Amino acid sequence: MEVEAGVRTGTVHRIARENGLLFPPDPGASEQSTIGGNIATNAGGPHAFRYGVTGSWVTGVEAVVPPGEVLTSGGPLRKNVAGLDLTSLMIGSEGTLGIVTSAWLRLVPAPEERSVVVGFYEDTHAGCDAIAMIMGSGIQPTALEFLDRGALESSLGSFPAMAPDRAGMAVIAETDGTAEEVARVVGELVEAMAEGALLPPVTIVDHAAIRDFWTWRDGVSIAVTAQRGGKISEDVVVPVELLAEAIEETVRIGESHGLPACSWGHAGDGNLHSSFLVDLSDEDQMQRGKEAAAGIFDMAMRLGGSISGEHGIGSLKTAHVEDALGPVAVRLQAEIKKVFDPKLLLNPGKKIPLP
Ligand SMILES: Cc1cc2nc3c(=O)[nH]c(=O)nc-3n(C[C@H](O)[C@H](O)[C@H](O)COP(=O)(O)OP(=O)(O)OC[C@H]3O[C@@H](n4cnc5c(N)ncnc54)[C@H](O)[C@@H]3O)c2cc1C
């Protein structure tokens, strides 16, 4: 599919689906976000676990680069290794190298069926054991998500299926394929997720119920924000076997700064949205929230992870990029930025720390 950059992600999903096809990347807020923005941030989302992030589905871009030239890189070809891969360089560059004006997107046949399985657990360790069981057993769900206790306290009231009154962790797995494949994998997921669960895992198979479920999941961020009116939320990534440690450390960092904290996110990718609840008009809380966020970056680095799994760097995280990537990578990125944008006009101060 060739689309202009301003087309909404949800529109691409719908047009693909109406033609029996699937565009898998599904970052939250797809009714607001554009394909250009998804490419600029190399957005992920729940189904990146099986299908990969936006960049895995972009075979070419058209972009305007300073001082106003049109760059066409890649296109509707399945393979193309001529020259340096400028398409990949544009993907995730957060508008610092050029303005993406259109893109070629790869589509696949839409799966016949899909189903969701949700398990609720007493605590983080029981939930992470279920994740390890799923991954270790060789089952490949399309999405493998989690919510910790704090995220559940904010959102469980509107969960659109049977749920316990309280839980320390929820694990969500989705699978797709032919009807037979889905039925088989759902059985395997239920078995893998049953051990240690508070209730038998909840299975959601009806199309409308699955849609309601993902509407609820997309609203988790908003439900958490509503607790105090604001949140400072990061999207660090850690090795998946250290997810439990990162979830618990997020709560401890919040406590040490006097702020309620929680996390949720893409468990299979080790990608957490570690969040501190704040009142946006309270300067003291905001300051403590920023210090707590710096603690989250330190934790991610200590655990062998990264300061951003999918939301990117923007302006807020540029100060942490050198610690995360080291001086050589930062110098080369600054040089690349200057080749594309010698007057440093595009998104100044974002993504790439410049001397
Ligand atoms: C409720 C919620 C849930 C979310 N969940 C996820 C998630 O699960 N996974 C995930 O990865 N993300 C998630 N996001 C973030 C979302 O993916 C990004 O906000 C979105 O992809 C950015 O697209 P946009 O069109 O909104 O871009 P904008 O926010 O408008 O822009 C983002 C950046 O891209 C640049 N940019 C935008 N368009 C272009 C262009 N055409 N050319 C060059 N640069 C451009 C902008 O300058 C800016 O730096 C979530 C966001 C919300 C609000």
Side-chain angles (χ1 to χ4, degrees), residues 117-293:
V117 182
V118 187
F120 293 98
Y121 303 88
E122 177 71 39
D123 56 28
T124 307
H125 283 276
C128 287
D129 284 349
I131 292 165
M133 180 67 91
I134 295 168
M135 295 183 73
S137 65
I139 308 171
Q140 287 196 308
T142 49
L144 185 53
E145 301 274 297
F146 83 95
L147 282 79
D148 82 347
R149 185 181 303 279
L152 284 169
E153 280 170 3
S154 300
S155 62
L156 200 53
S158 57
F159 183 72
M162 201 172 66
D165 292 339
R166 26 187 342 110
M169 183 151 166
V171 175
I172 297 159
E174 189 183 82
T175 184
D176 69 16
T178 63
E180 294 77 21
E181 281 165 353
V182 169
R184 177 179 54 77
V185 176
V186 164
E188 291 171 359
L189 284 169
V190 167
E191 194 180 330
M193 292 165 75
E195 196 174 315
L198 293 171
L199 300 172
V202 179
T203 305
I204 307 173
V205 291
D206 175 71
H207 290 191
I210 292 172
R211 190 197 54 218
D212 290 349
F213 167 81
W214 283 110
T215 303
W216 169 81
R217 168 62 188 83
D218 285 349
V220 167
S221 172
I222 297 163
V224 169
T225 306
Q227 301 304 310
R228 278 199 171 180
K231 65 173 163 43
I232 293 182
S233 189
E234 301 303 342
D235 78 311
V236 292
V237 58
V238 298
V240 68
E241 65 274 18
L242 299 178
L243 184 65
E245 195 171 333
I247 294 169
E248 292 184 340
E249 180 81 9
T250 296
V251 175
R252 276 198 294 276
I253 290 172
E255 279 167 3
S256 68
H257 290 85
L259 295 172
C262 65
S263 60
W264 68 95
H266 315 303
D269 292 325
N271 187 190
L272 311 77
H273 300 309
S274 294
S275 304
F276 303 101
L277 309 191
V278 292
D279 172 348
L280 297 175
S281 63
D282 184 325
E283 281 180 25
D284 176 50
Q285 283 188 28
M286 291 299 288
Q287 182 55 32
R288 283 185 277 135
K290 284 179 196 159
E291 288 166 11

Side-chain angles (χ1 to χ4, degrees), residues 27-29 33-34 36-38 40-41 43-45 94-95 98 100 266 310-311 347 350:
S33 71
T34 61
N38 295 162
T41 56
E94 297 182 28
V100 177
H266 315 303
E310 56 182 16
H311 290 172
N347 271 351
K350 272 195 187 174

